[in-house]
């Protein structure tokens, strides 16, 4: 048995043992057994780290005696992608999942080792329960350490579509998000079991929930960026099941990050919050299931379909267990007293925002699983496309963006009408000015897009106003210069201002989505060198064809010149890479055009607009030549094969047949990615621990004085 | 070599897990659920007092509303401090 495989068996032994020790410790009030459970999580992280390193080293060394390395990497795979090839496989990605779970679990249990005595053992057991399930998957159903004897001389190589820089970090980001969502889930279950439904568990896990939300958000955006710049269809979001699977827990996570605050401050919404946390945790597992089971067709799913039943069983246990637990603790989840808040208050805005987010999640859930629902009901697998999603999600998104602007303007508990009017004045004016400016500039009056753009202007203006107010107050008391005052106010209340920055990021992101969706120009044109196509005010001229032969692929492409009103704007290069098929019956040249192919997008990105081009060479026009070479040289290999491929490629460049180009001019797409960066920055500000509170335990002359001192010192 | 490494990992993991049973720590340490809940409630209440102050200064809350709210919040905060001291068995203010 190899070291890696032994570590997996050991992990599978450690996880349930630790869970049982934790439960025994909690029930018998044995702190030593509780500590055994916690240290089991540390041990689990250690052995899985060894397993992870062993597999990663095998990929980097191109050790094809490991089946997973042979089927997902090759000598020709660049080292950068060799390192990331591990999570392109089913087995490697599941190992990544359980490894990340063990790391985050260790971190939260280490941080809470002196706190939450009653909850930690149950949370440990739940986390180790997750580890047991995923450990069993990698041991019994998706073994990453399966060996090949004899080992092949070379591997198949990495799936060409995954050869993109963002793919290096996209899966770890998504999986970090998914696994981090299990932390609040585990503590919520523990709080319900221990009947401690106060805010302590929320306080202990808030940063983990926020980190999950950030990682998942970044992962989703990296996937969208990959789709825009690597997949040749010309979009960044297709309402694909795998995209939706990541978006659903993110939306529910967004909801609970807001409603948590209401429980923390007011003791309200306990049942709602715990349901959201449990829902986000289950949706995170569902997301992993959708990617790994292959149950729904997706351009992002590279997994097999052998894991469907165990996953479904596990999800069923989670759903039934969660519902039963919430139902059985309904008395503890009631608010201790009737506490009201005004209609015009931040609590009300959070409630509306929660309903919108959960509604959005429900729409996406319904649309994603509609193929399975329709098959179960009618026997036919019908699916819904982007227009269906857009019909329901766009109005909800518009309302959400307005809420993102409205929230920071409202006071907790009660906002006076005069105060609301004063706060709303500038943001509403800015939103109206944006609409008027867009109409004056001749932007087509598409109502949803204009409403969304007005909403983003409103949200950004409200955040800027709040920051400005904070800075002005600080300056009035300290006389600091504006930049120093800005840093001070943010540092003083990282949660508040981190949240505001996140709202600004979301608004920028939606601005990009609204503009690029409603006002983009798309055209498919069939061109030969010298011909020009006009799109969105730009002239795109096919200058010349290009070709290149490398060991792993043949690339056929085009150079395009883009001009506007006769003035040169940019030159873009787009190409299509053809990777050889592994079919042994295919000819030495033809096999390159029967295998996988990827598009290299020609992209001129800018803050105002992206010019996006993709070429589809007409291989059919060269088929006779390719077939003829294959017939004459069926056994060509090595240099001969390279010579023949070069001949075909040179012929293409010298006398190219007409090629089909997809041309897109899309405004403000870059703001989606910039919004993502702002969002991540805001998340980081909100996660960053506040300065250590100055603990003053000395007796005070009066409670009021002590409160004053603690308030100023904390 | 593989066998040696496997045994090393096995022994290390076992020692890590079993250590609390072998070397029992006498320290009671650690916060109970009651103290953690009160700590969380206190932090939230402090934040609420500061937020109300901020809302007043930014004009979202009227002075009259703030006076009523601040008095109520401070009373609740003092109650939490009393209960925390009682749980910790610490010093009491007058």
């Amino acid at each position: 048995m190899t070291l890696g495989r032994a570590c997996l068996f050991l992990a599978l032994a450690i996880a349930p043992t630790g869970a049982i020790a934790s439960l025994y410790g909690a029930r018998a009030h044995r702190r030593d057994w509780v500590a055994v459970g916690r240290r089991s999580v540390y041990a689990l992280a250690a052995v899985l780290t060894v397993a992870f390193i062993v597999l990663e080293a095998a990929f980097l060394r191109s050790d094809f005696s490991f089946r997973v390395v042979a089927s997902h990497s090759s000598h020709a795979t660049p080292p950068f992608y060799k390192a990331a090839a591990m999570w392109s496989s089913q087995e490697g990605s599941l190992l990544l999942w359980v490894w990340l779970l063990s790391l985050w679990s260790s971190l939260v249990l280490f941080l809470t080792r002196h706190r939450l005595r009653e909850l930690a053992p149950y949370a440990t057991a739940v986390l180790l329960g997750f580890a047991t399930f995923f450990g069993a998957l990698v041991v019994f159903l998706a073994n990453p350490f399966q060996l090949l004897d004899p080992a092949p001389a070379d591997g198949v190589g990495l799936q060409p579509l995954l050869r993109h820089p963002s793919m290096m970090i996209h899966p770890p980001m998504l999986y970090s998000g998914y696994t981090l969502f299990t932390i609040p889930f585990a503590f919520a279950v523990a709080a319900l079991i221990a009947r401690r439904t106060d805010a302590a568990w929320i306080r202990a896990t808030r940063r983990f929930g926020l980190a999950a939300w950030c990682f998942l958000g970044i992962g989703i955006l990296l996937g969208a960026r990959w789709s825009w710049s690597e997949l040749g269809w010309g979009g960044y979001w297709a309402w694909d099941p795998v995209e939706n699977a990541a978006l659903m827990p993110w939306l529910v996570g967004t909801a609970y990050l807001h409603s948590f605050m209401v429980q923390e401050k007011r003791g309200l919404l306990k049942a709602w919050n715990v349901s959201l946390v449990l829902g986000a945790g289950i949706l995170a597992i569902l997301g992993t299931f959708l990617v790994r089971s292959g149950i729904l067709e997706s351009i992002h799913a590279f997994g097999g379909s052998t894991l469907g039943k165990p996953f479904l069983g596990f999800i069923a246990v989670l759903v039934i267990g969660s519902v039963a637990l919430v139902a059985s603790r309904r008395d503890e989840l009631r608010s201790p007293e009737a506490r009201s808040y005004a209609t015009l208050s931040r609590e009300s805005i959070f409630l509306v925002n929660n309903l919108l987010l959960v509604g959005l999640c429900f729409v996406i859930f319904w649309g994603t699983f509609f193929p399975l629902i329709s098959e179960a009901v009618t026997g036919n697998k019908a699916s819904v496309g982007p227009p269906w999603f857009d019909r329901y999600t766009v109005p909800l998104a518009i309302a959400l963006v307005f809420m993102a602007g409205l929230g920071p303007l409202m006071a907790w508990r009660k906002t006076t009408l005069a105060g609301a009017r004063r706060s709303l004045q500038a943001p509403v004016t800015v939103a109206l000015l944006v609409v008027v400016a867009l109409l004056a500039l001749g932007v087509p009056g598409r109502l949803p897009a204009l409403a969304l753009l007005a909403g983003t202007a409103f949200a950004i203006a409200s955040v800027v106003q709040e920051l400005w107010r904070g800075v002005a107050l600080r300056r009035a008391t300290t006389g600091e210069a504006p930049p120093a005052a800005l840093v001070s106010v943010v540092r003083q209340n990282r949660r508040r201002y981190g949240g505001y920055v996140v709202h600004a990021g979301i608004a920028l992101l939606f601005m990009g989505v609204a503009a690029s969706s409603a006002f983009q120009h798309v055209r498919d044109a069939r061109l030969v060198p010298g011909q020009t196509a006009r799109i969105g005010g730009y002239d795109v001229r096919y200058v010349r064809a290009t070709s290149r032969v490398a060991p792993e692929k043949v690339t056929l492409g085009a150079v395009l010149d883009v001009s506007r009103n006769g003035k040169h704007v940019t030159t873009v290069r787009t190409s299509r890479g053809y990777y050889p098929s592994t079919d042994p019956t295919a000819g030495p040249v033809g096999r390159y055009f029967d295998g996988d192919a990827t598009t290299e997008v020609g992209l001129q990105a800018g803050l105002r607009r992206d010019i996006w081009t993709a070429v589809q060479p007409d291989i059919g026009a060269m088929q006779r030549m390719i077939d003829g070479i294959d017939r004459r040289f069926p056994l060509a290999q090595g240099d001969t094969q390279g010579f023949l491929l070069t001949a075909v490629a040179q012929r293409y460049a010298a006398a190219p047949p007409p090629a089909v180009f997809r041309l897109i001019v899309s405004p403000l797409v870059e703001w989606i990615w910039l919004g993502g960066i702002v969002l991540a920055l805001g998340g980081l500000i909100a996660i960053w621990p506040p300065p250590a509170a100055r603990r003053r335990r000395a007796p005070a002359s009066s409670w009021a004085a002590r409160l004053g001192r603690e308030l100023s010192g904390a | 070599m593989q066998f040696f490494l496997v045994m090393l990992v096995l022994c290390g993991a076992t020692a890590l897990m079993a250590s609390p049973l072998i070397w029992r720590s006498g320290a009671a340490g650690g916060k109970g659920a009651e103290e953690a809940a009160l700590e969380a409630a206190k932090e939230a209440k402090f934040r609420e007092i500061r937020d109300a102050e901020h809302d007043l200064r930014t004009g979202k809350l009227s002075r009259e509303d703030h006076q009523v709210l601040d008095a109520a919040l401070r009373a609740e905060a003092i109650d939490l401090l009393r209960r925390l001291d009682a749980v910790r068995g610490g010093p009491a203010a007058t």
Side-chain angles (χ1 to χ4, degrees):
Chain A
M1 186 182 288
T2 63
L3 176 63
R5 181 89 170 133
C7 285
L8 292 189
F9 271 107
L10 197 52
L12 190 55
I14 290 170
T17 307
I20 292 165
S22 293
L23 291 174
Y24 172 71
R27 290 286 168 193
H29 302 288
R30 292 281 302 270
R31 304 273 296 277
D32 47 354
W33 281 97
V34 171
V36 169
R38 190 177 63 246
R39 291 191 185 203
S40 299
V41 177
Y42 303 158
L44 182 75
V47 296
L48 287 174
T49 300
V50 174
F52 186 86
I53 290 170
V54 168
L55 192 59
E56 193 60 73
F59 270 99
L60 291 172
R61 285 186 291 112
S62 292
D63 184 348
F64 300 122
S65 63
F66 288 91
R67 193 185 64 78
V68 71
V69 179
S71 55
H72 292 88
S73 185
S74 66
H75 286 300
T77 304
F80 180 70
Y81 292 120
K82 276 182 186 172
M86 177 175 157
W87 38 87
S88 74
S89 69
Q90 179 91 291
E91 299 85 350
S93 67
L94 287 171
L95 177 58
L96 174 70
W97 209 105
V98 69
W99 178 60
L100 288 170
L101 173 75
S102 70
L103 294 183
W104 301 128
S105 302
S106 298
L107 183 62
V108 73
L109 293 176
F110 179 75
L111 293 175
T112 58
R113 67 196 183 286
H114 298 311
R115 290 187 284 156
L116 303 175
R117 273 201 310 259
E118 286 83 348
L119 306 192
Y122 294 114
T124 307
V126 174
L127 291 168
L128 287 171
F130 278 109
T132 304
F133 172 73
F134 281 93
L137 290 184
V138 288
V139 165
F140 299 116
L141 296 175
N143 171 18
F145 296 102
Q146 198 177 336
L147 298 176
L148 291 175
D149 190 18
D154 200 357
V156 173
L158 180 65
Q159 152 73 256
L161 281 174
L162 299 178
R163 296 178 193 196
H164 185 272
S166 72
M167 280 300 105
M168 180 91 182
I169 47 173
H170 166 66
M173 285 283 164
L174 279 186
Y175 280 15
S176 288
Y178 286 150
T179 48
L180 276 163
F181 268 128
T182 62
I183 306 287
F185 178 94
F187 276 85
V189 170
L192 290 172
I193 293 173
R195 298 178 191 270
R196 301 293 318 196
T197 55
D198 48 64
W201 69 274
I202 293 177
R203 187 180 175 223
T205 60
R206 187 190 69 85
R207 284 201 175 81
F208 287 86
L210 196 51
W213 183 87
C214 277
F215 276 121
L216 199 54
I218 294 167
I220 290 169
L221 283 172
L222 285 172
R225 173 79 191 165
W226 167 73
S227 182
W228 177 240
S229 57
E230 182 70 12
L231 299 183
W233 66 281
Y236 47 78
W237 193 263
W239 294 112
D240 179 273
V242 169
E243 295 169 353
N244 299 347
L247 189 57
M248 287 187 282
W250 188 83
L251 289 170
V252 175
T254 311
Y256 87 67
L257 287 173
H258 286 88
S259 59
F260 262 12
M261 286 185 256
V262 181
Q263 183 177 342
E264 263 190 308
K265 285 176 189 286
R266 310 292 311 281
L268 301 168
L269 305 179
K270 283 183 182 177
W272 177 253
N273 280 333
V274 85
S275 303
L276 288 178
V277 171
L278 297 176
I282 292 168
L283 286 169
I285 302 296
L286 189 72
T288 312
F289 161 69
L290 280 180
V291 185
R292 290 292 131 211
S293 70
I295 193 164
L296 290 168
E297 282 180 25
S298 164
I299 51 171
H300 299 270
F302 300 98
S305 58
T306 56
L307 304 177
K309 283 180 184 169
F311 257 112
L312 277 178
F314 187 56
I315 290 168
V317 168
L318 294 179
V319 171
I320 294 167
S322 298
V323 171
L325 207 46
V326 172
S328 68
R329 299 295 190 264
R330 58 189 179 280
D331 290 337
E332 285 82 0
L333 290 169
R334 285 204 185 98
S335 297
E337 60 199 77
R339 294 178 180 185
S340 62
Y341 46 85
T343 312
L344 214 53
S345 66
R346 196 171 284 190
E347 287 92 329
S348 297
I349 300 297
F350 281 4
L351 196 60
V352 175
N353 133 312
N354 264 237
L355 294 174
L356 290 169
L357 285 162
V358 172
L360 197 52
C361 181
F362 178 76
V363 167
I364 295 168
F365 184 90
W366 184 262
T368 305
F369 286 94
F370 190 75
L372 299 182
I373 296 165
S374 67
E375 191 177 27
V377 175
T378 66
N380 293 321
K381 206 172 192 171
S383 59
V384 294
W388 184 90
F389 281 101
D390 292 344
R391 193 182 314 143
Y392 298 103
T393 57
V394 169
L396 291 168
I398 292 168
L400 266 173
V401 174
F402 274 101
M403 288 297 138
L406 209 49
L409 302 179
M410 294 293 132
W412 288 97
R413 297 194 187 220
K414 182 184 178 186
T415 304
T416 58
L417 212 55
R421 202 177 298 133
R422 217 174 14 252
S423 296
L424 283 166
Q425 218 165 21
V428 168
T429 307
V430 170
L432 290 174
L433 282 175
V434 165
V435 173
V436 171
L438 287 171
L439 292 173
L441 286 168
V443 173
R446 290 179 191 133
L447 191 61
L450 287 179
L452 201 46
L453 288 170
T456 61
F458 174 74
I460 291 168
S462 88
V463 168
V464 170
Q465 176 180 279
E466 285 307 298
L467 283 170
W468 177 255
R469 280 172 157 180
V471 168
L473 284 173
R474 176 82 189 175
R475 292 192 69 202
T477 51
T478 64
E480 286 175 348
L486 179 66
V487 171
S488 298
V489 294
V490 172
R491 194 183 286 161
Q492 264 184 349
N493 198 330
R494 292 187 169 113
R495 277 178 71 167
R496 178 194 297 145
Y497 290 106
Y500 289 176
V501 173
V502 168
H503 281 211
I506 290 282
L508 290 175
L509 192 153
F510 272 110
M511 180 178 84
V513 170
S516 60
S517 307
F519 309 123
Q520 81 168 4
H521 300 271
V522 184
R523 183 178 171 188
D524 290 328
R526 189 176 167 83
L527 306 173
V528 292
Q531 285 187 320
T532 299
R534 193 168 176 76
I535 177 167
Y538 292 89
D539 293 310
V540 182
R541 189 168 65 88
Y542 182 9
V543 179
R544 62 185 167 82
T546 60
S547 66
R548 198 163 69 88
V549 176
E552 81 279 10
K553 66 175 175 180
V554 174
T555 307
L556 306 179
V559 176
L560 301 169
D561 181 79
V562 183
S563 60
R564 190 179 174 91
N565 301 326
K567 284 186 183 169
H568 174 75
V569 174
T570 186
T571 300
V572 289
R573 289 173 169 78
T574 170
S575 62
R576 195 153 171 85
Y578 297 90
Y579 295 81
S581 124
T582 50
D583 178 4
T585 63
V589 173
R591 71 173 51 195
Y592 275 81
F593 300 98
D594 292 340
D596 290 319
T598 60
T599 299
E600 195 64 41
V601 171
L603 185 64
Q604 170 65 34
L607 290 179
R608 284 183 55 216
R609 49 96 196 99
D610 278 14
I611 297 172
W612 186 102
T613 62
V615 65
Q616 179 75 48
D618 186 359
I619 299 300
M622 299 173 65
Q623 201 61 49
R624 277 184 61 193
M625 180 188 181
I626 294 167
D627 291 345
I629 293 173
D630 281 347
R631 267 197 307 276
R632 288 178 64 187
F633 306 98
L635 301 175
Q637 286 182 38
D639 289 346
T640 313
Q641 187 187 26
F643 176 78
L644 296 172
L645 284 167
T646 304
V648 171
Q650 284 178 347
R651 169 73 182 274
Y652 178 84
V660 174
F661 292 90
R662 170 154 285 199
L663 308 170
I664 299 174
V665 175
S666 195
L668 309 188
V669 179
E670 288 308 299
W671 290 92
I672 298 173
W673 324 126
L674 289 173
I677 293 169
V678 174
L679 186 150
L681 179 72
L684 195 64
I685 292 171
I687 289 172
W688 207 261
R694 294 198 294 275
R695 304 276 175 212
R696 297 178 182 186
R697 295 288 308 277
S701 57
S702 75
W703 284 104
R706 179 173 160 194
L707 174 63
R709 280 219 302 271
E710 289 208 19
L711 265 171
S712 60
Chain B
M1 183 64 179
Q2 288 266 339
F3 178 76
F4 173 73
L5 288 172
V6 169
M7 293 313 293
L8 194 68
V9 172
L10 179 66
C11 293
T14 309
L16 182 59
M17 286 172 69
S19 57
L21 299 176
I22 300 165
W23 297 284
R24 286 164 197 265
S25 162
K31 287 178 188 169
E34 186 65 28
E35 189 181 347
L38 288 169
E39 273 281 3
K42 185 194 87 173
E43 292 301 326
K45 198 59 66 187
F46 281 13
R47 208 162 25 249
E48 222 180 335
I49 293 170
R50 286 192 209 101
D51 282 346
E53 174 76 18
H54 182 81
D55 289 341
L56 169 73
R57 296 175 74 190
T58 51
K60 293 173 201 164
L61 203 60
S62 70
R63 189 159 294 281
E64 298 74 39
D65 284 339
H66 177 260
Q67 272 175 356
V68 175
L69 179 60
D70 188 60
L73 290 173
R74 282 176 188 265
E76 287 168 13
I78 287 171
D79 180 50
L80 285 167
L81 287 175
R82 279 183 210 276
R83 287 163 61 192
L84 255 175
D85 276 1
V87 167
R88 288 171 178 161
T94 53

